[in-house]
Amino acid sequence: MTPTLALLATEHSQAVTPVAATGAASYAWLMILIPLVSAAILLLAGRSSDKWGHLLATCASWCSFIVGAVIVAQLLGVDEAARRMTQTLFTWIPAGDFSVDFGLMVDPLSMTFVILVTFVGSLIHVYAIAYMEHDADRRRFFAYLNIFIAAMLTLVLADSYAVLFVGWEGVGLASYLLIGFWNHVPANAVAAKKAFVMNRVGDMGMLLAMMVMVTNFGSVRFVDVNEGVAGIPVAQATLIGIFLLVAACGKSAQFPLQAWLGDAMAGPTPVSALIHAATMVTAGVYLVVRSGAVYEAAPVAATAVAIIGAITLLFGAIVGSAKDDMKKVLAASTMSQIGYMMLGAGLGPIGWAFAIFHLFTHGFFKALMFLGAGSVMHGMADQVNMRRFGGLRTAMKVTWITFMMGWLAILGVPPFSGFWSKDKIIEAAFAAHTFADSEASWIGWVYGLIALFGAGLTAFYMSRLFFMTFHGKARWTTEAEGAGVHPHESGPLMTIPMIILAVGAVLIGGLMSIGDFFTSWLSPAIGGAVHEEPVLPVVVIQVATLVVVLVGAFIAWRMYGAAEVSKAVPAGNALTEAARADLHQDTVNETLFMAPGLALTAAATAGDRLVIDGIAKGVGAGSARIGKFLGSTQTGFVRSYAGYILGGVVIALAIVLGFRI
């Protein structure tokens, strides 16, 4: 039975005050250092580490997980008042009255991310050993994976926005390197550049937010900002919240900075799993929840977060409903699910814990489905077109069963993990209020119905993916040659991580919900739990959600499971064609930003060419002409020089006489 909906309410002035790190927590820096050193060794050792580099990188990631698990055990063994610890490693930026220490914060929120990043990331490492076995640059690939892990751990363990920004840029760099790992294909290099550039737009938001913080607080430490934000003008708090939202939109692929996420599928599939499940796109949700006090003090900014999340969850679901590329459907799914998390985070105290809870469970079943997609590609000659799949359940039983667990989890079918996390965001959405007016229930209806409709779309497009891939009639041919393929199950290094993640997709949500464990665990970081009533009874919301999910899955079964699927892409209506084109997001970006930017660049270039280059070339040409003229006067004849002297004397006398007259 689902526990009564418990929604968080907090006042950060009452949050647990951080204490100095002790015991295992004082070694939290090892979690960052170990994978970072491993990456350095692999990059500096070069080809000499080809035979063992992947093993070193995988061991390094597991070592970080072990350290993290020991620290979590320490936190569970102490009182809540001692579960927030800080550690200053060194003075980083001394600048007069303003200084920034490079410090870490160990608390339930950061350690939740640590466990997700290191455990799921380590399983992806194991999977990648087999997936990248025949790649000549496997060592370099694993070095980049370790950079990714180290950067994400820096981001979530930071005790200030400045240190967080180091990890923030680190995951941006790692994603660029990994998305474009096969950069010998021009499209892959373009995809990596697109992700990098769009994330820089978000980074500007982070920098501007820190500037406003320094102006108002003289500090960028989380503790100082959260404690001081209630005492500054609402307009200033709103600026910080909006700028942080821009940063979150870039990193978490939220509207309108979501265009890079589908192209990020250009990287090897383990990269996709790491970006979408444990790192990168989860960073924006972490940023918003960690900055909860800012959004409490700035209700307009909080509302903007919720609206962006609501738009994105529908945007991603619509796009995912029309794609035939298996990995791009999963990418659209991630965009949509992160939208759910952002919606929860934007709801304020009533949604923060559930946003993080869904992020945690989503990490397991989304990593599972990406690894399942990689397994399908492994057995289907690297194809991703679902119209060339079908009937794979008979040839890839382990992949089919484990993928089914992820599918049921993301649908939110009880008792799978998504039921305990995503459905709680839907319930919280029905309990939302507008700004500070607790009587305005209409906003709960708006958010709740959007979240409910999104659940139906999720059931449709994920069921479409599942049925087109594993059920129906086999359509096993390659697109290029029409030749047959021979699907086969992947080896144990790929299937064992999938099995472990499948167990998590089934059990972890329910286990974390026993006694409201997860919300209680997070309370020292984001506040204690209280009850809040949604506009509909909880049981009605749960039944409605399940009905909508079943309807969406049934429609998908009728269209793609029971009916024959065409190998060719059929013509669709205007919405279908727009969804296939990512709702024309690239066209919009090119029209509104790229084209004016190119025009501005062309104008600046033309001005530079005509003015700056013109002056430089004119001076050079003039000097050459003067030199040529003077050179022509050097004839070598005495009579010519005598004439020059005479002419000069005449001119001089004329000038002198002219002045005297």
Side-chain angles (χ1 to χ4, degrees), residues 1 74 93 106 163 193 441 484 519 581 655:
M1 180 178 294
Q74 176 187 345
I93 306 175
V106 175
V163 178
K193 181 175 66 176
S441 61
T519 56
I655 292 172

Side-chain angles (χ1 to χ4, degrees), residues 34-46 48-49 52-53 56 139 143:
I34 292 172
L36 199 59
V37 170
S38 170
I41 291 173
L42 297 186
L43 293 175
L44 295 175
S48 62
S49 61
W52 47 265
L56 174 64
R139 164 197 52 83

Side-chain angles (χ1 to χ4, degrees), residues 197-375:
V197 170
M198 293 200 75
N199 270 271
R200 300 294 73 73
V201 176
D203 293 348
M204 182 56 67
M206 178 71 83
L207 290 170
L208 291 172
M210 286 194 286
M211 292 177 191
V212 181
M213 291 174 194
V214 172
T215 301
N216 284 278
F217 313 116
S219 172
V220 290
R221 293 179 68 237
F222 295 136
V223 173
D224 296 334
V225 173
N226 285 342
E227 289 181 353
V229 70
I232 66 173
V234 174
Q236 292 293 307
T238 302
L239 276 179
I240 296 174
I242 294 297
F243 288 147
L244 291 176
L245 174 59
V246 172
C249 287
K251 199 64 70 182
S252 291
Q254 297 293 283
F255 180 85
L257 298 177
Q258 80 288 351
W260 65 270
L261 195 62
D263 297 82
M265 298 302 97
T269 300
V271 174
S272 303
L274 192 61
I275 290 176
H276 288 251
T279 61
M280 191 71 170
V281 296
T282 64
V285 181
Y286 172 81
L287 178 67
V288 172
V289 175
R290 179 63 85 183
S291 307
V294 172
Y295 290 101
E296 279 194 297
V300 172
T303 301
V305 173
I307 291 173
I308 290 296
I311 292 172
T312 309
L313 77 86
L314 292 180
F315 191 107
I318 292 170
V319 170
S321 297
K323 293 289 188 180
D324 294 324
D325 184 318
M326 187 181 195
K327 288 179 66 177
K328 289 195 174 184
V329 173
L330 291 175
S333 170
T334 298
M335 185 192 306
S336 180
Q337 295 304 303
I338 298 293
Y340 270 105
M341 300 169 206
M342 292 293 284
L343 171 60
L347 296 178
I350 67 172
W352 291 335
F354 300 138
I356 300 301
F357 191 19
H358 189 49
L359 185 151
F360 190 75
T361 61
H362 174 267
F364 283 82
F365 56 73
K366 183 52 62 67
L368 166 61
M369 288 188 286
F370 265 112
L371 298 188
S375 181

Side-chain angles (χ1 to χ4, degrees), residues 434-482:
T434 179
F435 299 105
D437 186 359
S438 61
E439 300 300 322
S441 61
W442 64 268
I443 196 68
W445 284 103
V446 173
Y447 287 150
L449 291 175
I450 289 175
L452 190 62
F453 182 59
L457 286 178
T458 301
F460 172 77
Y461 72 76
M462 288 306 303
S463 299
R464 175 178 179 268
L465 182 155
F466 183 71
F467 296 139
M468 287 181 73
T469 302
F470 296 102
H471 292 264
K473 185 179 179 180
R475 306 175 297 277
W476 301 345
T477 59
T478 61
E479 295 181 66
E481 303 173 359

Side-chain angles (χ1 to χ4, degrees), residues 374-397:
S375 181
V376 170
M377 292 171 62
H378 181 74
M380 291 292 290
D382 286 331
Q383 292 188 94
V384 291
N385 187 351
M386 298 184 298
R387 295 187 178 277
R388 300 281 170 166
F389 295 162
L392 287 177
R393 70 185 187 281
T394 60
M396 307 180 72
K397 286 185 169 57

Side-chain angles (χ1 to χ4, degrees), residues 48-218:
S48 62
S49 61
D50 279 350
K51 293 183 179 180
W52 47 265
H54 54 285
L55 299 177
L56 174 64
T58 303
C59 288
S61 185
W62 280 113
C63 285
S64 291
F65 168 72
I66 292 171
V67 175
V70 172
I71 295 174
V72 168
Q74 176 187 345
L75 295 184
L76 289 172
V78 299
D79 294 335
E80 287 191 3
R83 288 184 183 174
R84 298 193 82 197
M85 304 181 184
T86 59
Q87 180 184 25
T88 299
L89 300 181
F90 55 86
T91 299
W92 180 28
I93 306 175
D97 294 335
F98 174 77
S99 66
V100 178
D101 294 330
F102 199 101
L104 305 181
M105 176 177 286
V106 175
D107 68 359
L109 179 59
S110 63
M111 293 311 299
T112 297
F113 277 81
V114 165
I115 294 300
L116 176 65
V117 171
T118 56
F119 184 71
V120 174
S122 297
L123 289 175
I124 293 171
H125 274 68
V126 174
Y127 178 97
I129 292 175
Y131 191 89
M132 300 294 291
E133 181 178 7
H134 301 295
D135 195 292
D137 290 317
R138 180 168 66 167
R139 164 197 52 83
R140 180 165 57 87
F141 177 82
F142 273 87
Y144 293 164
L145 285 185
N146 273 17
I147 292 174
F148 218 149
I149 295 291
M152 190 65 189
L153 292 176
T154 302
L155 190 157
V156 300
L157 286 168
D159 74 340
S160 70
Y161 289 94
V163 178
L164 179 147
F165 192 67
V166 174
W168 193 268
E169 292 300 284
V171 294
L173 171 63
S175 67
Y176 171 76
L177 296 173
L178 287 166
I179 293 170
F181 184 75
W182 290 324
N183 54 27
H184 56 276
V185 179
N188 297 346
V190 171
K193 181 175 66 176
K194 183 177 181 179
F196 190 82
V197 170
M198 293 200 75
N199 270 271
R200 300 294 73 73
V201 176
D203 293 348
M204 182 56 67
M206 178 71 83
L207 290 170
L208 291 172
M210 286 194 286
M211 292 177 191
V212 181
M213 291 174 194
V214 172
T215 301
N216 284 278
F217 313 116

